[in-house]
Amino acid sequence: MPIIRAGTGIVTQINVFTVAEGGQEALLDHLSQAARCCRAAVPGWLSASLHRSHDGTRVANYAQCRDLASWHAVMECLHREGFIDGNRRFGTASPGLYDVAATFER
């Protein structure tokens, strides 16, 4: 489950992929396999949330790790298992690392 609170030290990677029309489901399947792999193999992996855009052209991945060292371990796993190279078959990625700055709720 995602943890969205400031001051936790959790590292969040938000990656928005641009895909060709009709390409969302294939990328979502690929990212789901990658998440299952990391969930089993990397102790510091916390969560992944996958989102599809209404217009069918983007997929967003909101993934969290306990800390920066865990994020590096996740990236090593994804590279080793071929998931990063595999992403390129489905679309163009725009990743970034983030810390939660603030949250607002009702």
Side-chain angles (χ1 to χ4, degrees):
M1 173 174 246
I3 300 168
I4 306 174
R5 267 190 308 263
T8 62
I10 291 172
V11 173
T12 302
Q13 179 174 354
I14 301 172
N15 198 346
V16 179
F17 294 86
T18 302
V19 298
E21 188 174 331
Q24 279 182 325
E25 290 308 313
L27 177 55
L28 287 166
D29 289 344
H30 179 75
L31 294 174
S32 295
Q33 291 174 19
R36 285 191 286 277
C37 178
C38 288
R39 178 176 60 190
V42 184
W45 180 92
L46 296 177
S47 69
S49 301
L50 305 176
H51 309 263
R52 66 170 60 86
S53 66
H54 284 233
D55 67 3
T57 65
R58 290 177 306 280
V59 170
N61 180 8
Y62 185 96
Q64 293 185 305
C65 295
R66 182 176 50 230
D67 51 32
L68 194 55
S70 299
W71 178 81
H72 284 292
V74 164
M75 295 308 292
E76 287 175 22
C77 177
L78 293 173
H79 278 288
R80 182 178 62 249
E81 298 300 322
F83 286 108
I84 298 298
D85 288 336
N87 288 347
R88 294 182 184 103
R89 290 190 316 246
F90 302 103
T92 304
S94 297
L97 290 183
Y98 300 86
D99 295 319
V100 175
T103 61
F104 303 91
E105 299 179 39
R106 179 164 292 286

